[in-house]
Amino acid sequence: MKLIIDTDPGVDDTLAIALAVAIPEVELLGLTAIFGNTFVKQSSRNARYLLDFLGYDCPVAEGAALPYGASDYTPSANVHGDEGLGALTTVPEIGKNIDETAAAFLVRMAAKNAGELVVCAIGPLTNIADALALDPAFATNVKSLVIMGGAYAVHGNITPHAEANIYHDAAAADVVFATKMPIVMVGLDATMQTLLTPEDFEAMAVTSPKVGGFVRDISNFYLGFYRSVGVFDGCPMHDSTALLACLFPERFTFEKSGIKVALSGDDIGDTVADASRPEVDVAVGIDAKWAVEYAMAQVATLD
C-alpha cells in the first residue's frame, strides 16, 4: 500500500508513524505536517525527528499553520506536551522539509500514483482541503482518504459534540466531507474502543527497548492527561486505529452516511449525518483486542 500520513505529531501520532514503518505491507511515501497537537513548525520538526529515530527515509512537507479564517492557533499542549512529545522539552532539528507545500506534495503524489495512493489524515483536515482547492482531481486520484476524526453516534472529546481534529478546523473538514471522494471516517465511535493501558506500554518497552521504550516514555504524559480528566487509566489508540483501517477494513464495522460538519454555535465541529452529502464509510466498531495486540506486536519488530 502506497501511503502518506498527514500528521501533527503528537504522542498518538508517534505510534501510528511507527506502525506505518513497521508494517511490511506499507510503502510510506511521505509525511505531511499540519498544525494541531503542536504548531505546524513543531509538527514538521517532530515528523523529521521521528523518521530519523525510526531509521526510515521519506520526505516531510510542511502544510497549513492555521485553521481556515483564523489569525492564531493554540495547540493542545496540555494533552501532548509543549513540544508534542510528552515530557520532552527539547526535540532536535534533523534534516529539512522538502521545498514543496503539503498540499502540493499531496496533489503531486496522488497524480503520480493515481488509484493507488491512500492518505491517512490524523490531524485537522486543512491540508486535505488545500489539496482539493489546488487540484480538484485530487479527489479522484486518491484510492482513499482515511480520516481520524469525528464523533458519529458518541460524544466528542474536546466539547460534548466535537472530536478534536474536526473541531480544530471545522470549515476545512466540512469542505472535505462535501467532496465526492472515497472517504473512511474513523472517529471516536471506533477509536475509543482501542485502549492502551500502562501495562501495555510497559510490555512494549520490554519487547522493544528502543522504540517501545520511547513510546512508553512519551506516553506517560498522555496517560496523565487522561487520568486528570477522570476518563480511565489508559489512553485510546486514536491515530493507530485509523492507520489500521487503511490496511484491515475487514476488522471494522462500517455504516454508510453523508457527513455535514457544524460550523457555528455550541456544537461547532459536530459530525452530523446528512443524506444530501456524498456517502462515506463511517467506522462504528472494531475488533479492539486484535487492534491492540497487532499494534504491540508490530512495535516489537522495530528494535
Side-chain angles (χ1 to χ4, degrees):
M1 174 177 288
K2 297 180 184 297
L3 180 73
I4 292 174
I5 301 178
D6 189 62
T7 178
D8 55 342
V11 175
D12 58 335
D13 304 70
T14 297
L15 180 58
I17 293 166
L19 283 177
V21 170
I23 297 172
E25 295 87 353
V26 171
E27 181 185 359
L28 184 61
L29 300 182
L31 301 178
T32 49
I34 185 69
F35 70 90
N37 297 325
T38 61
F39 294 112
V40 71
K41 290 195 177 300
Q42 293 172 303
S43 294
S44 60
R45 177 206 61 192
N46 289 356
R48 287 182 276 110
Y49 170 73
L50 292 170
L51 289 170
D52 180 75
F53 176 75
L54 294 166
Y56 192 88
D57 184 24
C58 70
V60 174
E62 189 171 285
L66 295 169
Y68 275 14
S71 58
D72 60 10
Y73 178 74
T74 302
S76 306
N78 63 317
V79 183
H80 294 270
D82 289 339
E83 299 298 332
L85 298 178
L88 283 185
T89 57
T90 303
V91 181
E93 288 277 359
I94 297 175
K96 293 182 178 180
N97 303 324
I98 61 172
D99 189 20
E100 190 173 22
T101 66
F105 179 71
L106 286 164
V107 163
R108 179 170 63 84
M109 296 305 288
K112 181 179 178 180
N113 301 282
E116 295 183 274
L117 179 66
V118 175
V119 177
C120 187
I122 55 178
L125 293 175
T126 321
N127 286 343
I128 307 303
D130 284 349
L132 289 165
L134 184 62
D135 181 8
F138 177 72
T140 51
N141 283 337
V142 296
K143 181 178 181 180
S144 66
L145 170 67
V146 180
I147 295 166
M148 192 280 112
Y152 181 65
V154 297
H155 293 298
N157 63 351
I158 194 166
T159 73
H161 304 282
E163 180 276 328
N165 284 340
I166 304 300
Y167 176 86
H168 286 314
D169 196 343
D174 194 55
V175 166
V176 173
F177 283 115
T179 305
K180 190 173 183 180
M181 62 188 303
I183 294 176
V184 179
M185 184 178 103
V186 184
L188 301 181
D189 305 73
T191 69
M192 291 297 289
Q193 299 180 40
T194 57
L195 182 66
L196 285 169
T197 67
E199 292 75 21
D200 292 329
F201 286 109
E202 289 296 336
M204 281 192 276
V206 169
T207 58
S208 170
K210 180 188 172 184
V211 177
F214 179 77
V215 169
R216 184 267 319 272
D217 291 346
I218 66 171
S219 295
N220 284 334
F221 189 97
Y222 197 51
L223 288 164
F225 165 77
Y226 276 101
R227 292 189 196 101
S228 74
V229 296
V231 180
F232 32 55
D233 191 20
C235 59
M237 204 170 68
H238 292 301
D239 295 339
S240 296
T241 303
L243 178 71
L244 294 177
C246 297
L247 291 146
F248 306 105
E250 70 277 5
R251 296 285 186 170
F252 291 75
T253 303
F254 295 99
E255 289 185 11
K256 288 191 176 294
S257 177
I259 297 292
K260 184 175 183 178
V261 181
L263 298 179
S264 61
D266 291 341
D267 60 345
I268 187 169
D270 194 5
T271 43
V272 182
D274 186 333
S276 71
R277 287 287 179 93
E279 282 191 339
V280 306
D281 290 318
V282 179
V284 295
I286 182 177
D287 183 347
K289 183 175 184 293
W290 166 84
V292 170
E293 291 177 352
Y294 180 83
M296 292 174 66
Q298 292 304 309
V299 167
T301 69
L302 288 172
D303 271 32

